[in-house]
Amino acid sequence: MIRKAIFPRCYLQGKDILNNLGGIGELETKKLFVLGTNTAVKQIIPVNLSSWQQICRIEYETFSGKCTWDEINRVRKIAASHNCDFIMGLGGGKAIDTARVVAWQLGVKYIAAPTIAATDAPTASACVVYNDAGAIVDYFTTANPDYVLVDTRIIARAPVRFLVSGMGDALATWFEAETCDRSHFKNICGGLNLRAVMAMAHLCYQTLLEYGRAAKISCEHKVVSPALEHIVEANTLLSGLGFESGGLSCAHGIHDCLCNLEGTHDYYHGEKVAFGTMAGLFLETRPQALIEEVYAFCRSVGLPTTLKKIGLEKVTDSQLKAAVQLVFDNKESYLHNIRVDLTPEGIIDAIRMADAFGGKEKN
Ligand SMILES: [Zn+2]
């Protein structure tokens, strides 16, 4: 099998860079169609519009809030009627995914401009499409963005829980890439891992340990500090390249199990992935010192370390069994990227162990 990694063409990050669209030269005199979330259309576009109009021609539309096929078709018709050269997704993961699919369908260049650092979706080629009820109906790959444009002042002004959740998603990156690499499992782009990606995945973990707490405080005070910039890079670029070209495994597999339990529905992706990472530490027999390090990090930034903190205080073994079995029965699940002797009971034991270990600490 070949080794493979995929990347966005250009990654730009900095304070106030959205105001001049990152200085992207090829935008000049072209037409840019922006799909923005409600907040972006009300708060971000008005203060930047006149500056953007000096660079290129602008059209924009408000995102409905859901990445469904109906919404993708609606946005595609509008974008096509404008005959645009570039499409920019401005908002969270769902707005970015919708714009990504539309740009891919229309064959125009794509700019991902995340306004939060809650997940590692912006750099990726992978897209998730939902139905109106919020269940996943399609998962497929398009193309990595031509540009990823991350304005750290906008990220600093977003609610801190998004940044912390992004750290939870990024926390899984090294562990999952290492598991896939060690066992020669395919990564998300369909190859074996390159050393370059393993180095980025490890740097992702180190960056969280070194700068996570300071970045959280920075975001609480809406300050763009170097620590915040390092964590935005870890959450967005390092984690994004790390998951797509390094592979997913236990943390996201257990996240998928937890998502089958209603109590977790108010919790963010990265919060549940962080708990899945902790369960994975026990499932994969990681050494005590490493387990202590991960828990200490999670407590320091406020990521959940017990089932209670992800809405599952009273979850029974039979509820857990049903939730795990659903994912376990899917042979395509990342859960199977762990070990050949994996059983649902073993996964439940690891979830219970992660909860018990978290409960032993002073949180
Ligand atoms: Zn994730």
Side-chain angles (χ1 to χ4, degrees):
M1 200 190 301
I2 58 164
R3 296 185 185 274
K4 184 177 176 187
I6 55 176
F7 307 91
R9 191 154 68 86
C10 179
Y11 180 87
L12 300 151
Q13 178 185 305
K15 190 160 68 177
D16 299 323
I17 63 165
L18 197 62
N19 191 249
N20 73 345
L21 293 167
I24 298 171
E26 64 172 337
L27 270 173
E28 282 172 28
T29 72
K30 296 288 192 338
K31 188 179 255 190
L32 171 66
F33 175 79
V34 182
L35 180 68
T37 53
N38 220 354
T39 312
V41 169
K42 283 187 179 145
Q43 297 174 12
I44 298 173
I45 294 179
V47 295
N48 290 290
L49 190 58
S50 64
S51 164
W52 293 353
Q53 284 168 334
Q54 288 172 25
I55 300 165
C56 56
R57 289 171 291 149
I58 301 282
E59 301 286 348
Y60 63 89
E61 175 64 26
T62 306
F63 174 55
S64 75
K66 289 179 179 170
C67 181
T68 60
W69 282 116
D70 280 351
E71 176 66 356
I72 289 165
N73 292 336
R74 180 186 78 86
V75 175
R76 189 184 61 245
K77 280 181 197 145
I78 299 167
S81 73
H82 291 308
N83 232 345
C84 57
D85 307 291
F86 286 79
I87 291 179
M88 181 162 84
L90 181 64
K94 291 190 171 82
I96 281 176
D97 268 8
T98 303
R100 186 202 319 276
V101 179
V102 171
W104 181 60
Q105 288 177 330
L106 294 179
V108 301
K109 290 193 172 168
Y110 176 57
I111 303 169
T115 54
I116 53 176
T119 71
D120 48 22
T123 61
S125 67
C127 282
V128 184
V129 178
Y130 299 83
N131 63 19
D132 280 330
I136 294 173
V137 292
D138 269 310
Y139 178 88
F140 54 98
T141 54
T142 55
N144 297 88
D146 293 280
Y147 296 92
V148 181
L149 192 57
V150 191
D151 190 319
T152 44
R153 193 190 294 278
I154 290 171
I155 305 279
R157 287 175 177 166
V160 71
R161 189 177 164 196
F162 287 130
L163 186 82
V164 171
S165 175
M167 288 196 255
D169 204 16
L171 176 65
T173 304
W174 164 246
F175 296 101
E176 295 190 299
E178 200 263 341
T179 299
C180 290
D181 191 56
R182 188 183 54 207
S183 303
H184 306 288
F185 288 122
K186 272 194 294 190
N187 57 35
I188 302 300
C189 66
L192 295 178
N193 291 353
L194 286 153
R195 286 172 59 76
V197 173
M198 295 307 292
M200 284 190 280
H202 196 249
L203 180 62
C204 184
Y205 179 59
Q206 284 180 319
T207 304
L208 293 177
L209 297 184
E210 287 171 22
Y211 299 103
R213 175 105 178 107
K216 183 191 179 187
I217 293 168
S218 185
C219 189
E220 283 169 345
H221 293 84
K222 311 205 180 308
V223 175
V224 181
S225 64
L228 180 81
E229 299 216 319
H230 292 341
I231 289 299
V232 169
E233 182 185 340
N235 286 11
T236 312
L237 181 66
L238 299 175
S239 181
L241 299 179
F243 100 80
E244 195 161 46
S245 297
L248 295 178
S249 165
C250 184
H252 279 79
I254 289 179
H255 159 274
D256 293 352
C257 299
L258 297 171
C259 285
N260 289 328
L261 295 157
E262 210 182 321
T264 67
H265 289 182
D266 289 337
Y267 294 85
Y268 293 166
H269 173 80
E271 294 168 337
K272 288 175 267 193
V273 168
F275 191 82
T277 304
M278 284 174 253
L281 296 171
F282 297 99
L283 201 56
E284 297 188 279
T285 334
R286 301 279 188 177
Q288 177 83 15
L290 182 61
I291 294 172
E292 301 275 9
E293 184 175 80
V294 171
Y295 274 79
F297 164 73
C298 288
R299 285 195 304 278
S300 78
V301 297
L303 280 166
T305 55
T306 60
L307 286 171
K308 181 182 175 183
K309 291 185 175 177
I310 48 170
L312 296 179
E313 186 178 10
K314 297 197 172 98
V315 71
T316 62
D317 277 352
S318 64
Q319 287 170 325
L320 273 178
K321 174 102 192 327
V324 169
Q325 194 74 48
L326 267 178
V327 180
F328 189 84
D329 289 344
N330 174 8
K331 296 292 168 231
E332 302 291 307
S333 167
Y334 318 120
L335 259 187
H336 297 289
N337 284 358
I338 303 174
R339 47 199 269 186
V340 289
D341 61 345
L342 188 71
T343 61
E345 290 74 22
I347 296 164
I348 293 165
D349 285 348
I351 291 172
R352 290 289 187 199
M353 191 60 205
D355 176 54
F357 200 91
K360 289 281 179 210
E361 310 293 334
K362 285 191 173 58
N363 289 304

